[in-house]
Amino acid sequence: MSVTVPAPSAPSAPSARPAGTVAVTHTVGVARAATAARADVPAPPVPAVGRVWPVGVRPAVLRGWEPPAGPYAAGHRGVDLAAAPGTAVRAVAAGRVSFAGRVAGRGVVSVELSATGLPPLRTTYEPVRALVHQGDEVAPGQVVGTVEPTGSHCAGTCVHWGLLRGDTYLDPLSLLPPWLRRSGPSRLLPVLGVPLP
């Protein structure tokens, strides 16, 4: 709990702080204790809140998620989806645009997803020419940008789709419910051994 204490108007003793300053040692200690307590709490699971693929209907996954062993270790912190230049890139779920701009010469759009726990999940899409702005609310399937012809780390053009909770990278495919990840239409199979009516 943080309490606002008015700052003293003048020092009352030689060891007192200058006017206008307040001791925050207790508040910092409380904040550190709260952070330590949260470190022991497991992160909430990734809810399958996705309603669409970022590009296409069921795009080819050129490279899957390969979690790194540590923060600076090798890995692939997202999935690469095949997409031609100019292809519409859509928000997979409802949320708010937390970033839309350029990072290291690449266009990036990041969307903080609604109702996904604390800290909230955040999706990233690159290289994308943004059609949204920071702070915009987006709906599932809403176009947030288009695939840029350059800036991809794939052999051809692709969209790198990432998912983070805080600073932890997660598998973005886990946002999609099973029915959306299936690669083909449902088929009726024959039932053997049951007499016809």
Side-chain angles (χ1 to χ4, degrees), residues 63-80 160-164 167-174:
R63 184 175 177 191
W65 182 64
E66 299 163 15
Y72 306 106
H76 192 237
R77 294 161 171 83
V79 297
D80 294 336
H160 180 81
W161 175 30
L163 175 66
L164 297 98
D167 294 329
T168 304
Y169 287 89
L170 303 167
D171 182 1
L173 292 176
S174 61

Side-chain angles (χ1 to χ4, degrees), residues 10 15 20 22 26 28 50 63 89 103 117 136 148 151 160 164 182 184 186:
S15 63
V22 177
H26 177 70
V28 171
R63 184 175 177 191
V89 178
V103 176
D136 287 354
E148 292 184 327
H160 180 81
L164 297 98
R182 287 192 196 107
S186 299

Side-chain angles (χ1 to χ4, degrees), residues 77-129:
R77 294 161 171 83
V79 297
D80 294 336
L81 305 175
T87 300
V89 178
R90 297 182 301 272
V92 297
R96 183 186 55 80
V97 177
S98 55
F99 180 81
R102 301 198 77 73
V103 176
R106 295 179 181 160
V108 177
V109 172
S110 181
V111 178
E112 189 175 277
L113 304 181
S114 304
T116 55
L118 291 174
L121 292 171
R122 192 171 74 252
T123 57
T124 59
Y125 313 94
E126 66 175 278
V128 172
R129 184 175 66 82

Side-chain angles (χ1 to χ4, degrees), residues 18-40:
T21 62
V22 177
V24 293
T25 308
H26 177 70
T27 304
V28 171
V30 170
R32 284 187 184 144
T35 302
R38 284 194 306 264
D40 296 337

Side-chain angles (χ1 to χ4, degrees), residues 120-179:
L121 292 171
R122 192 171 74 252
T123 57
T124 59
Y125 313 94
E126 66 175 278
V128 172
R129 184 175 66 82
L131 299 177
V132 290
H133 301 92
Q134 185 174 348
D136 287 354
E137 296 288 331
V138 294
Q142 181 175 334
V143 175
V144 297
T146 57
V147 178
E148 292 184 327
T150 60
S152 169
H153 60 242
C154 300
T157 56
C158 71
V159 168
H160 180 81
W161 175 30
L163 175 66
L164 297 98
R165 186 183 294 281
D167 294 329
T168 304
Y169 287 89
L170 303 167
D171 182 1
L173 292 176
S174 61
L175 284 173
L176 301 178
W179 63 266

